[in-house]
Amino acid sequence: MPRITANEVQTIPYGPLGIIALPGCEELAAKIDNYIVKWRAEQAEEHKNTIAFYGYHRDTYMINKNVVRFGSGEGKVVINDSIRGYDLYIVADCFNYSVTYNMYGMTVPKSPDDHFADLKRVISATSSKAKRINVIMPMLYEGRQHKRNSRESLDCAMALQELTYLGVENIITIDAHDKRVQNSIPHKSFENVMPAYQQIKAIVYKVDNLRVDPDHLLIISPDEGALHRAIFFATQLGVNLGMFYKRRDYTKVVDGRNPIVDHQYLGESVEGKDIIIVDDMISSGDSMLDVARKLKELGAARIIVCCSFGLFCNGLTAYISPPNSSPATGMKMLSFQSILHTLSTLSITTFRYLLFSIPPIKSILYSLIRD
């Protein structure tokens, strides 16, 4: 049974709750829906027949919809249930490439742009009938393009402004690449949930014989961008901090970026110590593997990579130990099954953490769990 987080409901719901799951988010949304159904079954019994609590107790809060793709690749969304006056939460995973569609006879995986276009279609399909629209996006769309250094697009800010222009009031995401992107929508709610509690708990439970003290453990930031995350880990665990900085070749541009020439370490000796590398995401993984190799060359013991999102854009081969061989980097290698299990359970465990744990963060989904 769900954990009881309030003995009695003291506020009137903003509106009847509705949850819309975009393709690729059905399982996550179903778990959220199941939790809220069980939790609300024991709440506000004395108000169940009042008009202010209309739709409070239901068997499901999921809204039926169809996401249609035509043979040309164009699409549309049809909402089949009434949403008039509803408080809508749209769950969107813009990085789920396992979702496919047919275009000109070819099977095409959905790109982040395709998912974001579907999100806008859902908002458009509400036809301004919903009382409030909220978007839950575990990994922020275009989060890495959060700032402008030259004549380049400012995609994340434009996406956030586009959503709020379409009527979105609240945007909830997990571990945004740079939370300052919320400055692009100063008059709307932007909630950036940090999963550090879940990550630290997973490390403590999963890593054997981990000694948490400055003589045996060191937190490493793989670059200056992840430094604030590493500082939080080091402070909470009471250990020291080191970091790498990326030397780039500014005379060249490859795939829109200056290529990395080398990773150089700044910090105390790592010899004989367990290392936790903290970052928000693994894209191709090349930088993370390079950092791990450097640390092993410096004499580090075990290396544990801790990140919120594992994309592995170039596949998992570099992270899997070949049969009858040991990993060259000394990192703990995982099986495909354990990696996929970790990725599939990250979002739901993070949301459970939000609902149960730290008081200041409870307010992030306050209207979702109270209404």
Side-chain angles (χ1 to χ4, degrees), residues 128-339:
S128 302
K129 298 299 190 297
K131 187 175 182 180
R132 182 173 67 177
I133 299 176
N134 315 271
V135 171
I136 299 174
M137 189 183 293
M139 186 172 181
L140 186 63
Y141 172 73
E142 288 289 356
R144 284 187 288 179
Q145 192 57 25
H146 62 283
K147 61 183 179 180
R148 173 184 287 158
N149 293 318
S150 60
R151 292 186 297 273
E152 58 184 354
S153 56
L154 201 56
D155 296 71
C156 191
M158 290 193 301
L160 294 177
Q161 290 178 353
E162 193 170 5
L163 290 179
T164 56
Y165 175 78
L166 291 172
V168 174
E169 292 292 330
N170 302 303
I171 298 171
I172 303 169
T173 190
I174 299 173
D175 199 357
H177 191 68
D178 191 328
K179 63 183 179 181
R180 289 173 294 183
V181 74
Q182 66 186 296
N183 294 333
S184 63
I185 49 170
H187 302 297
K188 298 295 181 180
S189 173
F190 181 92
E191 302 289 355
N192 181 44
V193 184
M194 299 301 293
Y197 170 82
Q198 285 296 120
Q199 293 171 334
I200 293 174
K201 184 172 74 172
I203 291 171
V204 171
Y205 283 142
K206 297 294 184 181
V207 179
D208 297 330
N209 304 316
L210 184 68
R211 300 178 65 178
V212 184
D213 62 68
D215 295 327
H216 298 91
L217 183 64
L218 188 66
I219 305 298
I220 295 292
S221 171
D223 54 40
E224 63 277 10
L227 191 58
H228 68 283
R229 297 178 180 86
I231 290 173
F232 181 83
F233 269 70
T235 302
Q236 295 301 313
L237 295 176
V239 299
N240 294 326
L241 173 71
M243 70 165 288
F244 282 81
Y245 77 92
K246 298 176 180 178
R247 290 183 57 240
R248 295 181 180 270
D249 184 352
Y250 290 101
T251 66
K252 300 178 182 178
V253 177
V254 178
D255 294 330
R257 294 179 181 274
N258 301 111
I260 299 171
V261 176
D262 190 22
H263 289 87
Q264 295 194 343
Y265 175 65
L266 301 174
E268 65 179 60
S269 173
V270 302
E271 187 171 357
K273 296 181 181 180
D274 289 335
I275 304 296
I276 299 177
I277 305 174
V278 181
D279 207 353
D280 63 323
M281 65 179 294
I282 295 175
S283 182
S284 66
D286 292 340
S287 293
M288 195 69 74
L289 288 172
D290 190 39
V291 165
R293 291 188 187 97
K294 295 285 185 181
L295 290 169
K296 292 304 291 185
E297 291 171 2
L298 294 171
R302 294 179 298 179
I303 297 177
I304 303 156
V305 175
C306 180
C307 71
S308 301
F309 302 100
L311 301 183
F312 302 100
C313 297
N314 294 339
L316 295 170
T317 303
Y319 286 84
I320 307 300
S321 300
N324 304 318
S325 66
S326 60
T329 63
M331 288 200 301
K332 184 175 181 180
M333 298 298 174
L334 304 175
S335 67
F336 280 103
Q337 182 179 4
S338 62
I339 289 175

Side-chain angles (χ1 to χ4, degrees), residues 5 7 23 28 38 65 82 87 92 104 118-119 121 168 219 222 235 257 266 268-269 295 302 339 343 347 365-366:
T5 56
N7 292 326
L28 171 61
K38 292 180 179 179
K65 61 36 175 117
S82 173
D87 189 14
Y104 294 106
D118 284 341
L119 172 60
R121 291 184 179 107
V168 174
I219 305 298
T235 302
R257 294 179 181 274
L266 301 174
E268 65 179 60
S269 173
L295 290 169
R302 294 179 298 179
I339 289 175
L343 298 182
S347 294
L365 291 182
Y366 184 48

Side-chain angles (χ1 to χ4, degrees), residues 42 66 80 117 150 248 270 324 330 337 341 356 367:
E42 302 177 3
N66 293 327
N80 300 315
S150 60
R248 295 181 180 270
V270 302
N324 304 318
Q337 182 179 4
H341 176 72
F356 298 156
S367 60

Side-chain angles (χ1 to χ4, degrees), residues 108-127:
V108 181
K110 280 192 175 181
S111 68
D113 291 345
D114 289 324
H115 284 289
F116 190 70
D118 284 341
L119 172 60
K120 292 187 291 184
R121 291 184 179 107
V122 170
I123 298 171
S124 175
T126 64
S127 303

